[in-house]
């Protein structure tokens, strides 16, 4: 048995639709689950049109915003786009700067420093912009949480237009206009990224859909982890088509550095382009990222992209170092916390969101990571969460602990007084204990469909791309394939931390690969049936194309036999089992010397009726089969590990025949006694080994036929006949031979069938008891 690491959530539905679209039945079921039942709906979903975007003037304040910006353009006013330092912020800035430049505006941008100014508007920056002649500030990806700065702008005679998508807080800014999806009842889509909101303003200003700007929108939307559905899906899909061709010089330079060619995917943005843009604002002022996106000279763009790539490498090393310190803190102090809050002096606030994500991935707990600054007495950082814990809402419940706080349900930024960090940790843990259950801490794995492998062909992965781009709330579909008979499993990779498996279902071979799943190799045995969950893709190598499952999780619902008879239990397996509280290490011979803590002697175990275990590790051979069967009653068996060695083979030794015993009895009766010296002569005369003769004498001793004193063997005349099986020695020998035969010298298949019969026999006994 192998339990899945995650909670599989399969949501199959009966597809009653008769869609007339040229896709597989699996795709049709996927469309039905998305509420698509007609051919027209299917065509619109599979082949979306950029002109299907919502009217930007459905936003409240959009009319007055466009009029004010047009007035500024006409009169030559100084406009400043006030952005943010992450990928969503720099792409938002690029969208509006490009748009206003194309309309002839006098426009500049301002990105606050993450380190000296922090997120969002600040009074000092607004005053500086006012002194430089700015009369109109347009925020992108920020501003909704800045009521004080809005008041300052009004005092300075600056009109402030806020475009944002973050959660509105209790006090709204008194701005000239606010463009925000959640604050516009008429606008039908609430989940735009900051760059999506900026794009809607660009659309309104230009008067038509500016498709050339969707490359920026795709990058910012994917990077900000907003749901890829509705307008976001349409915008990213269009943006990817632009990105897949030759586009802005700065983006082209990033593509070359990332070795991106052909059709790009959301994953290419998430793992190649966005991290490089984010790296700039994490380590220094983010202006370089905006300048790259706006640069029109390919040679200059290439130089700037190389500089950004170097910053990204520095960022990677910084994240690694801080993460290692954070992991050590957690293991030493916070391993059992419901919400993890770690902090360290000198931790760069710019990378702490990434560190928090790594902690969440490892421990599956809401996490805050804070960088301490003893001089200022504050700590700045970022938080990441899990679906069951709304970080923004729960943070707002304890907002008095923060100097600054803002964000989303799954991500937030904050500033805290150093003397409040411990109290903040306690407060968050109290909130988690109130709103979360133990099941919330088990990662869920949404399963799109339990597919019949016969429904899948080489064209299927290409069909799946019609549902792309994949990301938040439109995750790349994970499919379950059940009852695969495992035929081969092996570790692969330089560090042997990946696995490759082969299996069959309905006589069709299935190839599977699992990254970072190497530990499973020692938890599965060929021949068992497994269920797998993973992505279905095409593996192309040396011109050959075949389907493969990229594994996310594996489970085996039948018990397994791991055969280490005559071998040494590998350290990797030993450590896995020792760290599993449901594992029982048992030994049968009391005199056995063990170098293992926690192993239990068989007789002690049998007397403890409350023990329940899933994994049984037998360290030596039992004296009889009954003892082994008793062990199988110690719980709902998931796996049995046989690690014993045979020092003396009873099965291969010859048991004396009844004729041998008859001859020895006659000789003893005739000679009355035998000395130690005569024993050797007798064995030689009868062609018996000394061990064989000693065994027969021990049997006769058990039956009182002889007495043995100081080596002298004396026949007892008056003892009545007794059968051989009344001898403990004889019975023990028979048991040992049977143990050898069944448990040591049998084939793997025969042994598994024998143990299986005992387990099923026990289950049937349990059913009978239950009936009565």
């Amino acid at each position: 048995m192998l339990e899945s690491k995650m909670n599989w959530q399969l949501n199959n539905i009966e597809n009653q639709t008769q869609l007339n679209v040229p896709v597989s039945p699996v795709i049709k079921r996927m469309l039905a689950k998305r509420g698509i039942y007609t051919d027209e709906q299917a065509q619109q979903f599979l082949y979306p049109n950029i002109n299907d975007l919502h009217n930007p003037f459905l936003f409240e304040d959009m009319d007055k915003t466009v009029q004010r910006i047009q007035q500024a353009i006409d009169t030559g006013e100084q406009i400043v786009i006030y952005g943010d330092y992450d990928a969503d912020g720099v792409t938002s800035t690029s969208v509006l700067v490009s748009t206003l430049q194309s309309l002839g505006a006098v426009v500049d941008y301002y990105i606050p420093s993450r380190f000296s100014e922090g997120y969002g508007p600040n009074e000092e920056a607004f005053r500086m912009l006012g002194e430089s002649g700015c009369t109109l500030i347009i925020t992108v990806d920020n501003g909704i949480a800045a009521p004080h700065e809005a008041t300052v702008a009004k005092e300075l005679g600056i009109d402030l237009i806020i475009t944002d998508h973050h959660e509105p807080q209790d006090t709204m800014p008194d701005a000239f206009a606010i463009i925000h999806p959640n604050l516009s009842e008429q606008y039908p889509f609430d989940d735009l990224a900051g760059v999506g909101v900026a794009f809607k303003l660009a659309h309104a200003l230009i008067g038509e859909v500016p498709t050339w700007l969707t490359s920026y929108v795709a990058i910012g939307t994917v990077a900000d982890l907003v749901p890829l559905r509705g307008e976001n899906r349409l915008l990213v899909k269009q943006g990817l088509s632009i990105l897949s061709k030759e586009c802005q010089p700065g983006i082209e330079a990033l593509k070359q550095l990332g070795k991106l060619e052909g059709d790009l995917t959301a994953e290419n943005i998430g793992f190649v382009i966005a991290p490089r843009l984010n790296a700039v604002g994490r380590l220094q002022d983010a202006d370089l990222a905006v300048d790259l996106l706006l640069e029109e000279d390919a040679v200059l763009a290439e130089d700037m992209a190389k500089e950004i790539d170097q910053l990204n490498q520095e960022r990677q090393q910084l994240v690694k170092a801080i993460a290692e310190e954070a992991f050590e803190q957690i293991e030493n102090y916070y391993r059992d916390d419901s919400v993890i809050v770690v902090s360290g002096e000198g931790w760069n606030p710019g990378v702490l969101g990434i560190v928090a994500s790594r902690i969440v991935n490892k421990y599956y707990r809401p996490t805050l990571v804070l960088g301490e600054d003893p001089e200022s007495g504050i700590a700045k950082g970022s938080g990441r969460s899990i679906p069951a814990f709304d970080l923004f809402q729960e943070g707002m419940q304890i907002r008095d602990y923060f100097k600054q706080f803002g964000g989303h349900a799954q991500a937030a930024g904050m500033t805290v007084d150093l003397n409040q960090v411990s109290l903040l940790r306690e407060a968050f843990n109290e909130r988690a204990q109130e709103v979360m259950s133990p099941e919330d801490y088990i990662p869920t794995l949404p399963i799109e469909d339990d597919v019949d492998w016969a429904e899948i062909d080489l064209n299927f992965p290409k069909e799946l791309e019609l549902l792309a781009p994949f990301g938040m709330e439109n995750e790349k579909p994970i499919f379950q394939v059940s009852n695969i008979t495992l035929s081969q499993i092996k570790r692969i990779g330089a560090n042997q931390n990946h696995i490759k498996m082969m299996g069959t279902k309905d006589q069709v071979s299935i190839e599977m690969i699992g990254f970072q799943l190497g530990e499973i190799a020692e938890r599965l045995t060929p021949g068992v049936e497994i269920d797998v969950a993973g992505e279905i893709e095409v593996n192309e190598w040396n011109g050959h194309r075949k389907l493969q499952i990229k594994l996310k999780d594996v489970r085996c619902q039948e018990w397994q036999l791991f055969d280490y008879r005559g071998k040494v239990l590998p350290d990797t397996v030993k450590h896995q089992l020792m760290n599993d509280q449901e594992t029982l290490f048992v030994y049968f011979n009391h005199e056995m010397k063990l170098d293992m803590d926690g192993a239990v002697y068989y007789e002690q175990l049998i007397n403890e009726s409350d023990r329940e275990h899933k994994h049984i590790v037998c360290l030596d051979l039992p004296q009889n089969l009954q003892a082994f069967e008793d062990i199988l009653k110690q719980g709902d068996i998931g796996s049995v590990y046989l690690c014993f060695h045979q020092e003396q083979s009873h099965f291969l030794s010859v048991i004396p025949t009844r004729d041998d015993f008859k001859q020895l009895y006659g000789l003893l009766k005739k000679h009355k006694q035998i000395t130690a010296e005569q024993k050797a002569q007798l064995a030689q005369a009868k062609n018996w080994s000394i061990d064989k003769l000693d065994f027969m004498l021990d049997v006769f001793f058990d039956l009182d036929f002889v007495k043995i004193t100081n080596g002298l063997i004396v026949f007892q005349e008056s003892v009545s006949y007794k059968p051989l099986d009344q001898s403990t020695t004889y019975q023990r020998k028979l048991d040992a031979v049977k143990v050898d035969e069944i448990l040591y010298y049998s084939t793997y298949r025969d042994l598994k069938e024998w143990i299986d019969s005992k387990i099923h026999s026990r289950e049937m006994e349990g059913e009978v008891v239950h009936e009565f």
Side-chain angles (χ1 to χ4, degrees):
M1 182 176 291
L2 176 68
E3 293 184 355
S4 57
K5 290 185 175 182
M6 293 176 273
N7 179 21
W8 297 13
Q9 292 187 338
L10 176 62
N11 184 27
N12 273 342
I13 64 168
E14 291 294 328
N15 180 21
Q16 302 297 330
T17 61
Q18 299 295 324
L19 291 175
N20 186 26
V21 288
V23 292
S24 73
V26 179
I27 300 294
K28 290 180 181 179
R29 291 199 298 270
M30 293 174 69
L31 291 173
K33 287 172 70 173
R34 287 155 177 78
I36 297 169
Y37 300 104
T38 68
D39 291 349
E40 182 181 357
Q41 289 174 326
Q43 288 290 332
Q44 188 175 15
F45 183 84
L46 296 174
Y47 309 101
N49 190 312
I50 192 67
N51 292 316
D52 292 335
L53 288 171
H54 302 305
N55 184 345
F57 287 96
L58 293 175
F59 275 97
E60 192 172 331
D61 285 355
M62 184 63 82
D63 280 310
K64 66 186 296 191
T65 295
V66 170
Q67 291 173 15
R68 178 64 184 90
I69 293 173
Q70 190 58 56
Q71 176 188 334
I73 294 172
D74 293 342
T75 58
E77 292 180 64
Q78 175 68 52
I79 305 172
V80 172
I81 308 302
Y82 194 102
D84 187 29
Y85 34 68
D86 65 5
D88 189 16
V90 298
T91 52
S92 302
T93 303
S94 301
V95 162
L96 281 191
V97 170
S98 296
T99 298
L100 292 172
Q101 285 178 340
S102 70
L103 295 173
V106 179
V107 60
D108 199 356
Y109 71 86
Y110 183 88
I111 308 288
S113 167
R114 182 192 293 265
F115 308 100
S116 60
E117 297 173 90
Y119 170 77
N122 66 85
E123 180 176 344
E124 185 176 345
F126 274 21
R127 292 192 181 280
M128 181 272 292
L129 292 174
E131 291 173 1
S132 67
C134 171
T135 55
L136 177 60
I137 294 176
I138 306 172
T139 71
V140 289
D141 194 33
N142 70 91
I144 199 64
H148 171 70
E149 287 76 12
T151 301
V152 170
K154 181 169 283 191
E155 291 173 355
L156 294 171
I158 299 174
D159 283 337
L160 176 65
I161 296 172
I162 293 174
T163 75
D164 199 356
H165 71 125
H166 291 92
E167 293 285 349
Q169 300 197 12
D170 291 344
T171 304
M172 294 297 296
D174 182 14
F176 176 84
I178 298 177
I179 307 296
H180 193 296
N182 296 92
L183 299 176
S184 299
E185 292 184 3
Q186 299 301 314
Y187 199 78
F189 187 68
D190 290 344
D191 291 317
L192 289 168
V195 69
V197 180
F199 179 83
K200 302 303 292 191
L201 176 54
H203 181 183
L205 287 167
I206 293 172
E208 61 182 17
V209 179
T211 55
W212 56 281
L213 291 175
T214 57
S215 55
Y216 296 141
V217 181
I219 293 171
T221 300
V222 171
D224 211 49
L225 301 179
V226 291
L228 286 190
R229 55 181 177 79
E231 278 196 309
N232 286 340
R233 177 174 176 266
L234 202 163
L235 286 166
V236 173
K237 198 174 186 76
Q238 176 66 36
L240 286 170
S241 70
I242 300 293
L243 288 167
S244 298
K245 305 167 188 174
E246 186 171 349
C247 54
Q248 293 92 338
I251 298 176
E252 280 299 309
L254 291 176
K255 286 167 57 179
Q256 291 173 17
L257 281 171
K259 298 180 173 56
L260 299 180
E261 298 177 351
D263 292 338
L264 268 61
T265 66
E267 286 183 332
N268 296 143
I269 293 174
F271 290 100
V272 178
I273 297 176
R276 286 171 167 81
L277 290 176
N278 273 323
V280 183
R282 295 186 188 282
L283 298 184
Q284 63 178 42
D285 292 345
D287 292 22
L288 178 61
V290 179
D291 291 342
L292 172 71
L293 294 179
L294 296 175
E295 183 55 59
E296 297 181 357
D297 185 288
V299 175
L300 291 176
E302 183 178 350
D303 288 341
M304 295 162 72
K306 288 178 180 178
E307 185 178 348
I308 287 176
D309 192 55
Q310 180 61 41
L311 288 170
N312 188 50
Q313 293 177 37
E314 293 177 21
R315 186 270 307 168
Q316 290 171 333
Q317 294 302 314
L318 197 57
V319 167
K320 181 180 178 182
I322 296 175
E324 288 174 355
E325 289 184 44
F327 291 149
E328 184 177 357
Q329 267 191 43
I330 294 165
E331 292 297 329
N332 289 337
Y333 305 110
Y334 311 121
R335 187 66 180 83
D336 297 326
D337 282 11
S338 300
V339 175
I340 293 173
V341 180
V342 290
S343 62
E345 186 175 340
W347 288 1
N348 187 320
V351 301
L352 299 188
I354 303 174
V355 176
S357 294
R358 291 197 178 183
I359 294 172
V360 172
N361 289 339
K362 183 173 182 177
Y363 297 100
Y364 203 69
R365 295 285 188 276
T367 299
L368 273 63
V369 184
L370 304 169
E372 302 174 356
D373 183 0
E375 289 188 10
S376 65
I378 62 172
K380 288 183 180 180
S382 297
R384 298 292 184 269
S385 195
I386 59 178
F389 192 80
D390 188 318
L391 191 57
F392 177 78
Q393 293 298 333
E394 297 306 326
M396 291 300 289
Q397 293 295 318
I398 55 173
R399 61 192 141 190
D400 290 345
Y401 290 100
F402 298 104
K403 291 178 71 67
Q404 289 182 311
F405 179 77
H408 306 295
Q410 300 298 294
M414 69 283 301
T415 303
V416 189
D417 283 327
L418 280 178
N419 59 12
Q420 295 287 299
V421 173
S422 295
L423 296 174
L424 178 67
R425 181 182 295 111
E426 293 176 10
F428 258 125
N429 274 274
E430 288 176 2
R431 292 299 308 161
Q433 290 164 15
E434 287 184 23
V435 302
M436 296 179 70
S437 65
E439 293 75 21
D440 292 330
Y441 296 102
I442 301 173
T444 58
L445 183 63
I447 305 292
E448 179 70 41
D449 200 353
D450 186 355
V451 298
D452 183 346
W453 197 247
E455 297 178 303
I456 307 299
D457 59 21
L458 278 171
N459 192 51
F460 180 71
K462 185 176 180 180
E463 287 185 344
L464 276 180
E465 289 302 315
L466 293 173
L467 281 74
F470 299 117
M472 289 290 291
E473 296 190 20
N474 188 39
E475 284 80 4
K476 198 165 188 179
I478 303 298
F479 296 99
Q480 178 177 327
V481 184
S482 304
N483 306 121
I484 299 173
T485 301
L486 183 64
S487 57
Q488 180 182 343
I489 181 169
K490 63 179 179 179
R491 285 180 178 259
I492 60 173
N495 298 319
Q496 297 288 285
N497 55 338
H498 313 307
I499 55 168
K500 188 169 186 179
M501 304 197 299
M502 295 294 295
T504 57
K505 182 173 183 181
D506 300 328
Q507 300 181 330
V508 177
S509 179
I510 301 177
E511 189 174 288
M512 297 157 279
I513 188 165
F515 296 105
Q516 306 301 326
L517 295 177
E519 65 200 39
I520 290 177
E522 285 80 26
R523 304 299 295 269
L524 289 172
T525 54
V528 298
E529 283 196 348
I530 59 174
D531 303 331
V532 304
E535 300 172 8
I536 298 175
E537 59 185 19
V538 173
N539 178 26
E540 189 164 353
W541 187 74
N542 269 359
H544 297 285
R545 302 175 76 246
K546 60 175 66 173
L547 285 173
Q548 116 179 328
I549 302 174
K550 187 164 74 174
L551 299 170
K552 292 292 185 183
D553 205 358
V554 180
R555 71 185 181 198
C556 174
Q557 301 190 77
E558 64 178 270
W559 81 273
Q560 296 186 84
L561 172 64
F562 294 88
D563 187 1
Y564 291 99
R565 293 175 291 178
K567 303 174 185 177
V568 176
L569 188 66
D571 286 341
T572 53
V573 179
K574 183 176 178 181
H575 292 153
Q576 280 182 6
L577 292 169
M578 292 183 74
N579 290 328
D580 190 330
Q581 295 181 350
E582 295 184 306
T583 298
L584 168 69
F585 289 86
V586 63
Y587 62 99
F588 298 92
N589 298 291
H590 197 270
E591 66 275 11
M592 182 181 181
K593 293 182 178 179
L594 295 173
D595 60 349
M596 183 181 300
D597 295 332
V600 180
Y601 178 49
Y602 155 71
E603 290 187 2
Q604 175 188 348
L605 176 71
I606 298 305
N607 293 328
E608 297 180 11
S609 59
D610 61 339
R611 279 186 175 265
E612 287 280 327
H613 296 89
K614 284 191 176 179
H615 313 295
I616 307 293
V617 184
C618 297
L619 301 172
D620 62 345
L621 280 166
Q623 285 80 20
N624 53 67
L625 292 176
Q626 185 58 54
F628 186 80
E629 292 182 41
D630 289 342
I631 292 300
L632 298 179
K633 299 175 183 178
Q634 300 303 305
D636 184 12
I637 302 300
S639 54
V640 176
Y641 292 76
L642 302 183
C643 310
F644 33 67
H645 293 255
Q646 179 59 289
E647 303 296 337
Q648 176 188 2
S649 175
H650 298 281
F651 180 62
L652 298 180
S653 65
V654 178
I655 297 179
T657 64
R658 290 188 175 273
D659 188 57
D660 290 330
F661 281 105
K662 186 176 180 180
Q663 291 184 51
L664 178 59
Y665 186 86
L667 287 168
L668 289 169
K669 185 174 183 180
K670 176 180 179 180
H671 294 286
K672 308 303 180 186
Q673 63 182 32
I674 299 175
T675 65
E677 293 78 10
Q678 291 172 323
K679 188 172 72 169
Q681 295 172 5
L682 174 60
Q684 185 176 8
K686 290 295 184 180
N687 199 27
W688 294 335
S689 68
I690 289 294
D691 288 342
K692 183 175 181 178
L693 178 56
D694 283 340
F695 171 72
M696 289 190 289
L697 289 170
D698 287 341
V699 171
F700 283 174
F701 179 80
D702 287 348
L703 300 174
D704 298 324
F705 292 167
V706 298
K707 287 197 177 296
I708 303 174
T709 307
N710 296 325
L712 181 64
I713 302 157
V714 180
F715 180 72
Q716 303 297 299
E717 294 279 0
S718 60
V719 177
S720 61
Y721 168 78
K722 297 176 184 177
L724 290 173
D725 57 12
Q726 286 191 15
S727 163
T728 303
T729 301
Y730 187 77
Q731 192 60 54
R732 187 181 296 124
K733 182 69 172 179
L734 291 180
D735 287 342
V737 169
K738 202 67 178 174
V739 165
D740 277 10
E741 178 187 3
I742 298 294
L743 297 183
Y744 198 80
Y745 290 105
S746 61
T747 65
Y748 176 89
R749 181 176 179 179
D750 288 344
L751 179 55
K752 191 169 191 297
E753 288 180 355
W754 183 85
I755 297 176
D756 194 55
S757 70
K758 302 303 176 183
I759 292 175
H760 286 154
S761 173
R762 174 199 158 202
E763 290 173 352
M764 292 177 64
E765 290 174 6
E767 290 173 4
V768 171
V769 170
H770 181 69
E771 286 178 6
F772 288 96

